[in-house]
């Protein structure tokens, strides 16, 4: 805001405009998730300091503990996971960097853990995995078939267009989300967690002050 004392050559900056777009996505391949359970955290803290008796395996308990849950019991997936997928998709385009996208995009979640609600048919899957020094172990994790979600994305409107956001969401779906996804750094065969924009007609764009609500 200019005043009578403001020098004529003073730097004048315009406020950055942020818009919000709501993008429905549809899973192409099943989504596998694995939340860090309290049991896993405790075992990591005790590793190397406490000699523990081998605990009995609890497939159903491990499955439930691996679910990302909202306070009302709904299943979700971390908003930061979807943002990471969109930022990583910068590799598929010319003229945009991952560093820039980190500052231009903000994925909104719900609850204290900022989760994006997920709907779909959930089942318990059993996988053989390699842990520690390559030792084989079994993991029980949630898998969502025919899953869908609504991504609520705030973005810097002066830096990137709504159509570009949609292109990034589709490109993010190529790399996928969750466990054993195509873009997972330690997997050469991942194919899970792929998704696409569900319907362009269902997209909602909010401008100006609406984006902050």
């Amino acid at each position: 805001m200019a005043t009578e004392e403001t020098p004529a050559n003073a730097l004048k900056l315009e406020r950055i405009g942020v818009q919000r777009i709501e993008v429905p996505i549809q899973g192409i391949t099943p989504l596998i998730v694995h939340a860090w359970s309290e049991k896993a955290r405790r075992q990591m803290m005790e590793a190397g300091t406490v000699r523990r008796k081998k605990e009995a395996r609890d497939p159903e308990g491990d499955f439930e503990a691996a679910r990302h849950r909202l306070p009302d019991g709904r299943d979700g997936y971390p908003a930061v996971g979807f943002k990471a997928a969109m930022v990583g998709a910068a590799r598929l385009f010319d003229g945009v960097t991952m560093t820039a996208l980190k500052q231009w995009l903000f994925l909104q979640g719900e609850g204290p853990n900022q989760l994006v609600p997920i709907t779909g048919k959930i089942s318990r899957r059993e996988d053989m995995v390699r842990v520690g020094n390559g030792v084989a172990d079994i993991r029980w994790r949630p898998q969502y078939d025919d899953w869908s979600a609504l991504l609520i994305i705030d973005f810097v409107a002066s830096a990137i267009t709504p159509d570009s956001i949609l292109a990034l969401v589709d490109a993010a779906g190529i790399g996928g989300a969750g466990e054993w996804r195509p873009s997972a750094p330690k997997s050469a065969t991942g194919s899970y967690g792929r998704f696409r924009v569900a319907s362009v007609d269902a997209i909602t764009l909010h401008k100006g002050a609406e984006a902050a609500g």
Side-chain angles (χ1 to χ4, degrees):
M1 179 167 37
T3 66
E4 293 182 0
E5 292 77 21
T6 302
N9 62 346
L11 177 64
K12 298 178 182 178
L13 301 176
E14 297 293 333
R15 295 183 65 185
I16 300 297
V18 175
Q19 294 184 8
R20 172 170 293 180
I21 189 169
E22 299 180 9
V23 184
I25 59 172
Q26 177 63 50
I28 298 173
T29 55
L31 175 69
I32 305 170
V33 306
H34 193 176
W36 281 98
S37 66
E38 184 57 36
K39 174 183 174 182
R41 292 189 181 94
R42 185 178 70 252
Q43 290 176 344
M44 289 183 66
M45 293 179 65
E46 294 176 352
T49 61
V50 178
R51 183 182 294 273
R52 297 182 297 106
K53 292 182 179 179
K54 191 171 183 179
E55 299 181 21
R57 305 307 298 267
D58 181 7
E60 186 63 21
D62 288 351
F63 159 72
E64 288 293 338
R67 297 169 72 175
H68 293 283
R69 305 294 287 272
L70 286 151
D72 62 7
R74 287 177 297 161
D75 287 272
Y77 184 77
V80 293
F82 285 118
K83 176 171 180 174
M86 292 182 67
V87 169
R91 299 183 181 94
L92 303 177
F93 297 94
D94 293 326
V96 64
T97 66
M98 290 189 289
T99 299
L101 290 181
K102 289 177 184 179
Q103 302 176 69
W104 296 348
L105 307 177
F106 311 94
L107 272 287
Q108 303 300 313
E110 297 182 24
N113 294 323
Q114 287 293 283
L115 301 178
V116 174
I118 296 288
T119 60
K121 181 181 178 182
I122 186 172
S123 61
R124 187 181 79 197
R125 64 176 288 135
E126 178 181 301
D127 291 301
M128 185 72 70
V129 299
R130 295 286 177 180
V131 297
N133 297 323
V135 178
D137 198 3
I138 297 175
R139 290 288 184 268
W140 293 276
R141 297 174 290 188
Q143 174 175 305
Y144 301 85
D145 293 290
D146 193 26
W147 62 279
S148 61
L150 179 67
L151 301 186
I152 300 177
I153 307 165
D154 290 349
F155 63 97
V156 178
S158 61
I160 189 168
T161 66
D163 283 344
S164 295
I165 296 294
L166 299 184
L168 277 172
V169 172
D170 262 338
I174 296 174
E179 303 293 298
W180 206 2
R181 62 191 182 277
S183 62
K186 294 184 179 180
S187 174
T189 59
S191 61
Y192 287 80
R194 294 177 56 218
F195 57 89
R196 59 176 176 80
V197 174
S199 171
V200 175
D201 294 334
I203 292 166
T204 303
L205 178 64
H206 304 277
K207 297 184 179 181
E210 296 180 30

